[in-house]
Amino acid sequence: MTPPKKEGDGHMPETSAPSSAVSSRLQVIKKRADFLRANHARRQATKGFILQARRRNDGEASAPDTTRIGYTCSKRVGNAVARNRAKRRLRAIAQQVLSAQGRAGWDYVLIGRAEHTADLPFERLLSDLEFALNRVHAPKKQADPS
């Protein structure tokens, strides 16, 4: 077996595929405590899923320039096959929408809904996530002083 050739040998140097900024910005939430913190934050329900979002504090361990995303589907969604399908669809819409419109320093949790997450048209789920993000990031309305 011969060792790999170097650049000057007339062979093309091995280059790895350029890593997109998206993949380095989106991290998956895995700890229960992070899911519980998101549960007490802002939320927006749509027909296909529920979005929970919270801005992380400065002292938290994760990098401030990353967007974290978590996925969950309870047994109400269905058996393991149905839950896994729903989570695959949630991951797909998050990759498309949150990579472009998610905010750095925020945690998002997508919760699947029974009979809807797995059955709605994919374009509807995409538009629902865009709608939910706009609502979650909209400034809070002030109470009228009069």
Side-chain angles (χ1 to χ4, degrees):
M1 189 163 156
T2 59
K5 304 209 179 221
K6 295 187 180 180
E7 285 185 40
D9 297 350
H11 287 79
M12 295 291 291
E14 284 189 28
T15 57
S16 60
S19 62
S20 65
V22 172
S23 63
S24 64
R25 280 186 353 119
L26 283 180
Q27 292 181 348
V28 177
I29 298 173
K30 296 180 181 176
K31 294 186 179 180
R32 183 174 188 269
D34 293 330
F35 281 95
L36 292 176
R37 279 193 286 270
N39 190 34
H40 297 293
R42 299 178 185 180
R43 65 180 61 220
Q44 179 62 48
T46 65
K47 187 170 183 175
F49 56 85
I50 298 170
L51 173 69
Q52 297 173 338
R54 74 178 272 276
R55 183 175 184 83
R56 288 191 306 274
N57 297 327
D58 293 333
E60 292 189 44
S62 62
D65 63 337
T66 60
T67 302
R68 299 192 316 170
I69 180 76
Y71 312 94
T72 184
C73 291
S74 70
K75 287 190 176 183
R76 281 184 243 161
V77 173
N79 62 10
V81 174
R83 290 193 306 271
N84 287 337
R85 178 164 193 239
K87 284 193 277 189
R88 277 195 308 271
R89 296 187 89 206
L90 292 175
R91 280 192 288 270
I93 64 169
Q95 184 65 34
Q96 286 188 2
V97 176
L98 283 178
S99 61
Q101 297 177 13
R103 294 190 181 178
W106 281 72
D107 288 347
Y108 300 99
V109 175
L110 290 171
I111 303 171
R113 297 186 96 170
E115 301 175 11
H116 296 294
T117 305
D119 297 333
L120 281 176
F122 191 74
E123 292 76 23
R124 170 74 189 269
L125 290 175
L126 288 172
S127 65
D128 280 355
L129 183 54
E130 290 173 357
F131 168 78
L133 278 174
N134 289 335
R135 292 291 300 264
V136 164
H137 291 303
K140 291 184 178 180
K141 293 182 181 179
Q142 299 276 332
D144 192 17
S146 52

